[in-house]
Amino acid sequence: MEFNRVVGTRRSIRFFKSWRPVEREKLQVMFEAANRASRSMNADYFRAIVVNRDDLDAETRDALRNPTTTADLDLAPTYIFWYIDMNYVEGAQDRLKALVDQHALSAAHGWSRAYVDDFLWPQVLEPISKDMSAVLFMGAVETGIAICNAINAAVDQGLGTCMHAFTANETVKSLLGVPDSWFPVWLQLVGYPAEEPEAGGQRPRNPISTLFFEGHTDHPFEEDPEVTERLKREGMLQTPGPFPYRAQEVKMLSRMYGLPE
Amino acid sequence: MTDTARTGPDRTAIGVVGEAGTGIGGPGPGIGEAGPGIGEPGPGELPEHLAAVAAAPSVQRWMHRSGDDVAGARLADLEMLQRFCASLGTDPDELIAQCLRSTKSGDTAISAAGRRKTDQAISAFVAAEGASGRDAIVLGNKLRGFLIHNGIFMQGSAAID
Ligand SMILES: Cc1cc2nc3c(=O)[nH]c(=O)nc-3n(C[C@H](O)[C@H](O)[C@H](O)COP(=O)(O)O)c2cc1C
């Protein structure tokens, strides 16, 4: 799929084909995509554990349930538990110097091995590593960026996915051997959509002019109608929901799975 | 894939309890099937023992969700709710009230404890009705639907076997 169409087709999918497993190779693509995400300090902020629903015993699956995530756990065949590794700053000094050696960071932009060793590490990065709120803040942002790549890679491969609140960390922790330094972030459910991939149409979003500004907050970024039309053709902007038959789609899926209507 | 990992009657999941029985899942319109609509004959034809339940504002709210009025509701749903409430010695509006609490600022919030208790009561009711497997899930989720359409956010298990 073309990039613009991937972005435009992504939805939070909540009805999965419970019977259809996700191929391991598709997971690998998602993980490589996440691993290609930009990251400050070139650090490994995130960790993730992928688990097949059917490899979890009933007790563990029940422990994962919370009021907003119950049926989804039955329907999605694949769970990805995302964490921040709170030790991500470790090794930043060497990683940044490696980027200098690779000329990814160069003198053209002020970078040198000496800057990393003499100033950046002792005065900026090491103090950050001891400031828990900074570690959490950066970790959450950077893990989110990686997850976003994984989401889009899933959509590109015809998968559906939805992020969910990740509760029952203690249960998961002992079962999956999660180190103390990993902080739980989100649970990503993955599978093949049982609903149409468009899931009833694109979700309402405010126009970009309410979110983006040009030069000053007095000047909203006004869209160029020609670009808007192109994005419609290329699939980034799609028919807004709800499709006329969406209520019926949800009703029939709910009946299939015995869910509340 | 192990059997225990699948949704099945042996699970202790929310809303999935009980072994095979004849209750609700027995002959006649199954839990998941459309029961005889009571919309056609008109509201006047509601069986007498359901009149009070059908008149409850919370039930009206539930039934209005799809544009129906109570008369358009499925008799089986009302029957089930009536039996559930009777099993708890309560009525529909009170059932909703038990899932709510007042906050310090005077707002109404969902009571986590009340919701948990009600969810457990649904599981117990389903078991007592003798429903199992898919029937048990459908029955439990129908009752959850009543709560959901009255604003009590909750989910039940899905029938995937
Ligand atoms: C970080 C994150 C956490 C989310 N958590 C939940 C959740 O716990 N349960 C749920 O049903 N949806 C969850 N969602 C999905 C959002 O509700 C969804 O993105 C939103 O409704 C917009 O729809 P769309 O994703 O289809 O565009 C989450 C989404 C994100 C990005």
Side-chain angles (χ1 to χ4, degrees):
Chain A
M1 229 191 273
E2 291 298 320
F3 177 78
N4 284 351
R5 193 164 296 280
V6 170
V7 172
T9 305
R10 185 214 57 76
R11 305 278 186 283
S12 288
I13 293 295
R14 295 187 178 83
F15 293 99
F16 296 96
K17 290 178 176 165
S18 60
W19 57 90
R20 184 168 174 190
V22 174
E23 298 85 344
R24 208 172 161 281
E25 85 178 66
K26 293 196 173 180
L27 294 170
Q28 184 174 339
V29 174
M30 288 173 63
F31 298 157
E32 283 294 358
N35 201 22
R36 297 293 115 198
S38 187
R39 71 271 302 276
S40 63
M41 294 184 271
N42 208 20
D44 291 329
Y45 287 84
F46 64 83
R47 294 289 187 276
I49 307 172
V50 61
V51 179
N52 290 321
R53 172 198 60 203
D54 295 335
D55 292 337
L56 293 175
D57 61 27
E59 204 181 319
T60 306
R61 236 162 73 191
D62 285 345
L64 289 171
R65 297 179 197 274
N66 63 52
T68 67
T69 306
T70 290
D72 317 68
L73 291 166
D74 294 328
L75 299 182
T78 302
Y79 306 172
I80 303 173
F81 297 94
W82 287 92
Y83 296 86
I84 302 167
D85 179 359
M86 302 289 277
N87 292 333
Y88 60 76
V89 183
E90 274 174 22
Q93 202 172 354
D94 289 338
R95 283 193 304 273
L96 285 167
K97 284 190 290 185
L99 290 181
V100 171
D101 293 345
Q102 209 186 321
H103 305 285
L105 299 175
S106 72
H109 298 91
W111 287 88
S112 66
R113 291 176 67 92
Y115 169 68
V116 173
D117 280 339
D118 299 347
F119 299 101
L120 186 62
W121 175 254
Q123 288 171 25
V124 181
L125 299 181
E126 205 181 15
I128 282 181
S129 74
K130 296 185 174 122
D131 176 348
M132 259 318 119
S133 60
V135 168
L136 255 184
F137 166 74
M138 288 174 63
V141 170
E142 305 261 1
T143 301
I145 292 172
I147 291 173
C148 187
N149 269 16
I151 289 174
N152 284 320
V155 174
D156 186 44
Q157 300 178 94
L159 298 168
T161 183
C162 185
M163 303 308 296
H164 283 265
F166 177 172
T167 50
N169 179 44
E170 285 311 313
T171 308
V172 176
K173 191 175 174 186
S174 52
L175 185 79
L176 306 181
V178 177
D180 287 339
S181 63
W182 292 15
F183 184 89
V185 188
W186 296 108
L187 166 61
Q188 182 173 18
L189 300 181
V190 189
Y192 282 90
E195 50 194 321
E196 289 183 347
E198 292 85 2
Q202 236 171 14
R203 312 313 189 205
R205 295 288 198 268
N206 288 315
I208 55 172
S209 58
T210 64
L211 307 169
F212 296 92
F213 305 89
E214 242 173 334
H216 191 280
T217 52
D218 281 347
H219 301 127
F221 188 101
E222 297 297 347
E223 59 190 66
D224 172 345
E226 273 182 35
V227 176
T228 305
E229 283 312 306
R230 177 166 64 81
L231 292 177
K232 284 181 183 169
R233 284 194 306 274
E234 294 175 355
M236 186 183 279
L237 301 179
Q238 300 184 6
T239 309
F243 289 172
Y245 53 82
R246 174 61 174 173
Q248 190 67 9
E249 182 186 23
V250 169
K251 187 190 221 174
M252 298 316 287
L253 288 163
S254 300
R255 285 190 184 170
M256 178 165 84
Y257 287 124
L259 295 170
E261 290 175 37
Chain B
M1 182 188 302
T2 61
D3 278 338
T4 48
R6 307 288 303 271
T7 303
D10 54 339
R11 288 191 45 203
T12 52
I14 307 164
V16 186
V17 283
E19 272 303 323
T22 50
I24 279 277
I31 301 153
E33 300 156 24
I38 55 169
E40 301 82 15
E45 314 243 338
L46 256 183
E48 215 175 295
H49 70 287
L50 294 180
V53 165
S58 58
V59 174
Q60 300 269 342
R61 211 172 174 192
W62 181 32
M63 295 304 167
H64 279 284
R65 71 193 189 267
S66 51
D68 292 344
D69 55 19
V70 175
R74 282 182 290 168
L75 192 57
D77 292 359
L78 283 179
E79 281 276 3
M80 177 188 57
L81 180 63
Q82 197 271 340
R83 274 209 310 284
F84 178 55
C85 288
S87 75
L88 298 174
T90 187
D91 61 52
D93 290 349
E94 180 54 28
L95 192 64
I96 299 299
Q98 286 166 8
C99 294
L100 300 172
R101 66 181 173 85
S102 292
T103 64
K104 277 181 198 144
S105 55
D107 293 328
T108 302
I110 293 172
S111 154
R115 173 168 60 189
R116 201 178 316 116
K117 218 175 116 195
T118 307
D119 205 58
Q120 286 163 355
I122 290 174
S123 300
F125 175 74
V126 168
E129 291 279 324
S132 67
R134 179 183 169 86
D135 283 348
I137 291 174
V138 171
L139 173 56
N141 282 340
K142 274 195 183 294
L143 289 169
R144 287 188 187 89
F146 164 69
L147 293 148
I148 289 167
H149 287 286
N150 279 282
I152 312 301
F153 193 105
M154 55 171 27
Q155 286 188 10
S157 296
I160 60 170
D161 286 320

